[in-house]
Amino acid sequence: MLAAGNNPFQHIVEPLSPEVPGQRFFNLLKLGDPRYDRLPFSIRVLLESAIRNCDEFLVKSLDVENILNWQQTQTQSVEVPFRPARVILQDFTGVPAVVDFAAMRDAVTKLDGDPEKINPVCPADLVIDHSIQVDFNRKSDSLQKNQDLEFDRNRERFQFLKWGSKAFKNMRIIPPGSGIVHQVNLEYLARVVFNYDGFFYPDSLVGTDSHTTMIDGLGVLGWGVGGIEAEAVMLGQPISMVLPEVVGYKLHGTPDKLITSTDIVLTVTKHLRQVGVVGKFVEFFGPGVAQLSIADRATIANMCPEYGATAAFFPVDDISVKYLEQTGREPETLAYITKYLKAAGMFRDYNNIAQDPDFTQVVQLDLGTVVPCCSGPKRPQDRIPVSEMKTDFESCLGAKQGFKGFQVAPEHHSTTVPFQFSGKEYTLGHGSVVIAAITSCTNTSNPSVMLGAGLLAKKAIEYGLSVKPYIKTSLSPGSGVVTYYLKKSGVMDCMSQLGFEVVGYGCMTCIGNSGPLPDSVVEAITKGDLVAAGVLSGNRNFEGRVHPNTRANYLASPPLVIAYAIAGTVRIDFEKEPIAVNLEGRQIFLRDIWPTRDEIQAVERTFVIPSMFKEVYDKIEKVNDRWNSLVAPSDKLYTWDDKSTYIKSPPFFDGLTRKLPTPESIKDAYVLLNLGDSVTTDHISPAGNIARNSAAARYLTERGLTPREYNSYGSRRGNDAVMARGTFANIRLFNKFLDKQAPQTIHLPTGDTLDVFDAAERYKRSGVPLLVLAGKEYGSGSSRDWAAKGPFLLGIKAVLAESYERIHRSNLVGMGVIPLEYLPGDTAASLGLSGRERYSIIIPQQLTPRMTVDVELDTGMTFKVRMRFDTDVELTYFHHGGILNYMIRKMSQY
């Protein structure tokens, strides 16, 4: 994407090599501006994009000046446009994006426009990785069975995506069975530097998954956005963003030889949560960075959403280039990447203090202070040293219900329940491990922790250790390369013997696709009301996400996942207690089987080689025979099937006209839900299984489906009728109206307790607008556009919260739902709000960013709140009724 010939910065364009005059770049050093050398490297990427795309219309010279003047403007809420080089999607968010595009083509056609104007103008890659589930495990044929079942369940969705790849230009589909989107992005899709249309420029992207930030570890600036915002970027609209503060995170010291990258990232996550980096960039620097591999850096960058930052950037250095070589990139590509970044002042030497830029704030971590740790039992930022896991879990058992409490009465802490499995009797208690999953690109992209798990498994087998057969163990790598090097290094068989068979190449347990537990295990958990545990190498462990029957879920490194599986419980102190007693009666401790970093690195140097990556990725788009044989239509307009329960034309654009609606105040709204802090997008729009007693299940049953055909909410995001019914359908949703966890609410006019969807439908029939009350960090978690689309379809006109997660607030704006925020010092409690009042939000005709507006209650009380439209562009979207309506009207004008 390059500005036309009227770019006012044409004078700094020059050839990268004089001998090849046709390959040019914008040489930012020729600006001759001393401010450039002091800019954080992440801000330099924003600046380059603004200069290259400056057309004095969407991107103006003033925007360039504001970015150059970052030292002064960073704290002034200055709005700047950013045009990323590309967009990446996964199928859970990609299907609704393609559905929206298809519906937008229909809408543009109805307004007498050209439907082919609705088409990506920048490269868009969609990786199908969210559909596969752990239905089968512990068998050598588990992978094939899970992949077959994935295709049987999702054929209609896959057929639709294949239509999209034909109907839309610039859209590439990476078929199912290829890997996890962020790992495929890191190992294959990342350009680092684009060589396009005669210009070199930095690779950058936005993605429809919050962990898009993983690519920051390779020096590619990227972050997650809502699907709605990503669609606008694909259609050529710049992102409108407030120029961020940049926190410099200095790493120094040397990690202990027993420490993994997972331990480092969980430590960083807790630290940065305490620092407070929401809405900011974090940029890593210092000599400690040079000690970290790209896989280590990517692990830290992956969990950026868990510490709340927008991006977690590691500028490109020599180690980055060596990684590109290791992963099979061509030598000529490596040459121009290095040459361009050095010429543009964007190549980093972490040991050169003179290169350190200015930051808003600097915090630091001594890597030598990091200890082995996990996080949980309900949030990724709640780090626990492994040495304290036992005491922490036992403390949580009796603590008040909350992020660190299960409120189990003291007399029940020792409850055990016997049960039968495969003809033998076993016992479960509080803290028993029932799921142990090596999963998620966070860790499976990192050879050091994967080989560490393999070496631990090898030593465990040598000592005669095993994993109890009822524990649901699984290994779901992020790419075929992982399986390749685990087999070549000789550790795969040992992992299989412990139950960690490859079950699929996708997100799986990390996103809640953990599949069913054995019936006898579920019955024992239910009978004893047990707090059973899941241990996974993922990035999120929110309530209800991993599995409905695992109330305690811990994030851990892959070696620790195997360790806790062998132990069978999280109520163990590995330093003092043996992990197991082998058949010879010998006590085996974790330290006996734990590999050192030196052992791991020796294996990695031998077995993780470029030819593996080339072999896997050369055939990635054609490796799935069932995908290759799938027949899809090629029409430019999609032919909707009214009987489909997967793909349905959404009602978002019904009645849309060219005329702009006038903003109206919200009058006498009822509160649909009264929620507390840290309500996640999993609470709002779950991705996992569809409960048999839910509104969505009733809808599917009415259409002839049986429970085994329901599939998951995530797989049905192309059908608004299912998703509206799935909104706030998480069984762990805590609604203050009910004072318990349930996917229900009270219909206030009658006092009836109903499923949330059914209550919303009653209000809708009465023509009554709705409101949601919430606490801090509303919408944290995954960048899930249905967490905004669903409430919109329920008739929710506004959310009033103490604070918002960045992406979710943007999604609400994108759907025309007003994000309201209490003024500092105000909360529902301090204002005495019960949620049973009726609320009127007074919307003036003249709106400005972040303005305060009045809220009037039927009790006569009035208070002020801030309207969180943060930029003029967001106000424009609101006037149009949402960003997609804006794009349709814009595309219909020409």
Side-chain angles (χ1 to χ4, degrees):
M1 293 181 291
L2 302 169
N6 62 344
N7 188 317
F9 296 95
Q10 288 284 354
H11 64 282
I12 66 169
V13 174
E14 64 181 32
L16 185 60
S17 299
E19 59 271 19
V20 189
Q23 293 187 319
R24 301 168 293 163
F25 75 111
F26 283 80
N27 188 348
L28 305 191
L29 299 180
K30 285 184 71 175
L31 291 170
D33 194 316
R35 293 175 296 179
Y36 179 69
D37 290 334
R38 305 311 308 154
L39 289 178
F41 282 67
S42 51
I43 299 299
R44 297 180 198 189
V45 179
L46 300 183
L47 177 66
E48 191 282 337
S49 174
I51 286 175
R52 176 168 37 88
N53 291 291
C54 188
D55 58 3
E56 299 297 6
F57 176 58
L58 289 173
V59 184
K60 301 178 180 180
S61 298
L62 178 60
D63 299 316
V64 172
E65 173 59 25
N66 282 335
I67 299 173
L68 265 172
N69 202 33
W70 173 83
Q71 281 279 23
Q72 278 65 49
T73 55
Q74 58 172 305
T75 58
Q76 298 173 7
S77 298
V78 171
E79 176 188 353
V80 295
F82 174 54
R83 295 191 71 172
R86 59 189 175 98
V87 174
I88 195 164
L89 311 97
Q90 36 89 341
D91 57 301
F92 270 18
T93 51
V95 167
V98 179
V99 166
D100 287 347
F101 275 9
M104 289 170 76
R105 279 193 169 181
D106 291 342
V108 168
T109 301
K110 289 176 184 176
L111 294 178
D112 299 321
D114 178 3
E116 292 201 51
K117 290 275 182 70
I118 303 295
N119 198 84
V121 297
C122 67
D125 295 301
L126 192 157
V127 181
I128 300 175
D129 67 351
H130 273 51
S131 302
I132 192 166
Q133 301 183 36
V134 191
D135 290 286
F136 299 94
N137 69 311
R138 283 185 175 257
K139 302 289 185 183
S140 58
D141 61 352
S142 296
L143 171 62
Q144 190 60 53
K145 284 185 173 181
N146 286 329
Q147 288 182 334
D148 288 345
L149 195 51
E150 173 194 24
F151 219 94
D152 292 341
R153 284 171 172 153
N154 296 282
R155 173 182 292 275
E156 193 177 337
R157 296 172 65 244
F158 294 168
Q159 204 164 25
F160 176 70
L161 286 175
K162 199 158 192 182
W163 165 80
S165 68
K166 294 179 179 180
F168 300 106
K169 301 171 186 174
N170 277 331
M171 180 176 284
R172 172 171 50 176
I173 307 288
I174 305 296
S178 302
I180 301 174
V181 57
H182 307 305
Q183 188 162 342
V184 173
N185 192 20
L186 190 73
E187 295 175 353
Y188 175 62
L189 298 175
R191 282 75 155 177
V192 182
V193 170
F194 261 83
N195 180 6
Y196 177 76
D197 200 22
F199 277 86
F200 293 103
Y201 51 95
D203 187 6
S204 61
L205 70 151
V206 291
T208 57
D209 188 284
S210 51
H211 294 101
T212 299
T213 52
M214 184 171 188
I215 202 63
D216 291 342
L218 185 56
V220 176
L221 184 63
W223 62 85
V225 296
I228 306 157
E229 194 170 7
E231 290 166 34
V233 172
M234 291 163 71
L235 294 174
Q237 191 75 4
I239 286 177
S240 176
M241 61 184 295
V242 174
L243 195 61
E245 297 180 20
V246 181
V247 174
Y249 198 89
K250 185 174 184 178
L251 296 175
H252 60 93
T254 302
D256 184 85
K257 63 182 181 179
L258 299 179
I259 293 303
T260 68
S261 59
T262 315
D263 301 320
I264 296 172
V265 71
L266 295 180
T267 302
V268 169
T269 298
K270 181 175 182 179
H271 185 199
L272 285 174
R273 270 284 175 185
Q274 293 169 336
V275 170
V277 292
V278 174
K280 302 174 184 178
F281 284 4
V282 175
E283 186 167 308
F284 292 83
F285 75 109
V289 178
Q291 297 189 50
L292 300 178
S293 68
I294 293 304
D296 291 341
R297 299 176 195 181
T299 298
I300 295 169
N302 178 286
M303 287 193 70
C304 174
E306 280 63 61
Y307 41 86
T310 300
F313 194 61
F314 289 82
V316 175
D317 68 343
D318 286 324
I319 293 174
S320 314
V321 177
K322 288 176 184 174
Y323 174 83
L324 293 172
E325 182 180 13
Q326 180 191 41
T327 50
R329 270 67 165 204
E330 297 298 332
E332 57 268 26
T333 302
L334 305 183
Y336 74 65
I337 286 173
T338 304
K339 188 168 187 176
Y340 166 76
L341 292 174
K342 287 183 175 179
M346 296 188 192
F347 198 87
R348 193 72 163 95
D349 177 357
Y350 287 101
N351 290 307
N352 183 357
I353 298 175
Q355 231 194 17
D356 291 351
D358 294 332
F359 294 111
T360 309
Q361 175 188 3
V362 171
V363 293
Q364 54 187 308
L365 173 68
D366 179 352
L367 294 171
T369 64
V370 176
V371 298
C373 55
C374 300
S375 280
K378 302 182 184 183
R379 295 192 304 181
Q381 64 262 39
D382 293 330
R383 171 185 160 277
I384 314 146
V386 170
S387 60
E388 298 174 16
M389 273 285 285
K390 181 178 182 178
T391 55
D392 187 85
F393 177 82
E394 291 175 347
S395 171
C396 290
L397 262 186
K400 184 180 178 182
Q401 184 69 241
F403 299 126
K404 296 287 286 184
F406 297 104
Q407 208 161 330
V408 175
E411 61 269 23
H412 296 307
H413 285 196
S414 300
T415 297
T416 57
V417 180
F419 69 100
Q420 294 284 322
F421 183 81
S422 295
K424 292 186 177 180
E425 184 170 294
Y426 298 92
T427 301
L428 288 183
H430 295 297
S432 291
V433 173
V434 295
I435 289 177
I438 298 177
T439 181
S440 172
C441 53
T442 307
N443 284 290
T444 68
S445 62
N446 194 324
S448 68
V449 292
M450 296 302 290
L451 288 168
L455 291 172
L456 183 143
K458 185 171 184 289
K459 293 184 180 184
I461 293 296
E462 290 169 355
Y463 276 110
L465 306 186
S466 62
V467 174
K468 293 180 177 67
Y470 63 82
I471 296 176
K472 188 157 193 179
T473 49
S474 61
L475 168 60
S476 50
S479 82
V481 175
V482 178
T483 310
Y484 207 135
Y485 66 65
L486 289 178
K487 286 181 176 178
K488 288 288 184 182
S489 61
V491 298
M492 187 71 247
D493 286 345
C494 299
M495 297 178 77
S496 298
Q497 287 181 57
L498 292 178
F500 290 89
E501 285 278 1
V502 174
V503 295
Y505 295 96
C507 301
M508 303 190 87
T509 300
C510 186
I511 58 161
N513 287 354
S514 50
L517 288 173
D519 289 341
S520 58
V521 171
V522 173
E523 288 166 8
I525 292 170
T526 305
K527 181 179 179 181
D529 193 22
L530 298 178
V531 180
V535 184
L536 65 154
S537 63
N539 47 43
R540 288 197 173 133
N541 53 344
F542 301 129
E543 281 187 289
R545 179 183 176 96
V546 175
H547 193 282
N549 296 111
T550 56
R551 288 157 65 188
N553 295 284
Y554 292 93
L555 306 182
S557 66
L560 277 175
V561 170
I562 296 181
Y564 280 109
I566 294 170
T569 180
V570 296
R571 296 175 83 170
I572 181 171
D573 183 341
F574 283 131
E575 293 184 3
K576 299 176 181 176
E577 301 173 60
I579 188 172
V581 177
N582 67 11
L583 293 176
E584 300 170 358
R586 178 182 170 184
Q587 291 186 340
I588 308 299
F589 287 82
L590 180 58
R591 57 180 171 267
D592 298 325
I593 60 175
W594 192 267
T596 66
R597 286 174 74 90
D598 290 341
E599 289 179 81
I600 295 166
Q601 287 169 1
V603 175
E604 183 177 350
R605 281 192 296 270
T606 304
F607 293 103
V608 184
I609 54 178
S611 59
M612 289 182 177
F613 292 88
K614 289 188 71 68
E615 183 173 335
V616 168
Y617 285 112
D618 280 351
K619 57 188 180 184
I620 190 170
E621 293 179 51
K622 299 295 181 184
V623 72
N624 190 314
D625 291 336
R626 292 190 70 174
W627 174 266
N628 297 339
S629 62
L630 193 63
V631 178
S634 56
D635 302 334
K636 296 302 179 185
L637 294 178
Y638 187 70
T639 303
W640 305 96
D641 179 359
D642 292 338
K643 295 179 181 178
S644 173
T645 56
Y646 277 105
I647 306 298
K648 180 176 174 290
S649 181
F652 306 138
F653 315 122
D654 291 354
L656 183 70
T657 65
R658 290 180 183 271
K659 186 179 179 182
L660 216 57
T662 303
E664 295 181 353
S665 295
I666 300 170
K667 294 290 189 182
D668 294 323
Y670 276 106
V671 173
L672 180 63
L673 292 153
N674 189 0
L675 307 173
D677 295 341
S678 296
V679 173
T680 71
T681 51
D682 281 293
H683 289 117
I684 304 168
S685 184
N689 293 334
I690 297 172
R692 296 187 181 195
N693 61 348
S694 64
R698 292 193 291 274
Y699 171 85
L700 294 171
T701 301
E702 288 166 4
R703 279 146 188 81
L705 275 69
T706 62
R708 67 182 301 273
E709 297 172 306
Y710 289 168
N711 210 333
S712 64
Y713 283 113
S715 68
R716 293 194 178 272
R717 287 181 183 164
N719 186 308
D720 62 272
V722 174
M723 297 309 296
R725 287 164 174 79
T727 303
F728 295 110
N730 190 314
I731 62 171
R732 299 298 178 193
L733 180 74
F734 187 86
N735 182 1
K736 293 179 184 178
F737 285 155
L738 302 176
D739 199 29
K740 66 176 183 178
Q741 291 182 331
Q744 295 178 317
T745 194
I746 294 175
H747 180 252
L748 295 175
T750 62
D752 293 342
T753 299
L754 303 169
D755 286 347
V756 174
F757 175 80
D758 295 331
E761 285 294 288
R762 274 202 196 176
Y763 285 122
K764 191 179 292 184
R765 287 194 293 270
S766 303
V768 177
L770 297 174
L771 184 72
V772 168
L773 296 184
K776 300 182 183 70
E777 299 175 351
Y778 181 75
S780 56
S782 301
S783 60
R784 198 162 288 175
D785 58 346
W786 267 108
K789 289 176 175 176
F792 169 83
L793 291 178
L794 294 187
I796 293 168
K797 302 298 182 184
V799 176
L800 175 54
E802 291 178 49
S803 64
Y804 292 88
E805 193 276 339
R806 174 185 61 83
I807 298 173
H808 184 63
R809 186 199 64 80
S810 175
N811 274 337
L812 291 174
V813 172
M815 287 307 299
V817 177
I818 305 174
L820 301 171
E821 194 169 273
Y822 293 103
L823 297 183
D826 285 351
T827 64
S830 71
L831 294 169
L833 306 179
S834 68
R836 295 176 180 271
E837 309 87 354
R838 297 190 72 171
Y839 292 69
S840 293
I841 318 296
I842 309 306
I843 309 295
Q845 293 299 303
Q846 297 298 318
L847 301 178
T848 57
R850 298 181 64 88
M851 71 182 298
T852 58
V853 295
D854 288 325
V855 179
E856 298 175 355
L857 307 184
D858 61 345
T859 61
M861 178 182 175
T862 299
F863 59 96
K864 292 187 180 296
V865 297
R866 189 170 306 285
M867 196 156 52
R868 284 293 311 276
F869 297 121
D870 289 357
T871 67
D872 287 322
V873 172
E874 289 186 346
L875 282 173
T876 299
Y877 297 156
F878 174 64
H879 282 295
H880 280 266
I883 191 172
L884 301 184
N885 293 0
Y886 166 78
M887 294 305 301
I888 289 170
R889 290 191 177 99
K890 180 180 177 182
M891 295 294 182
S892 301
Q893 291 173 359
Y894 306 104

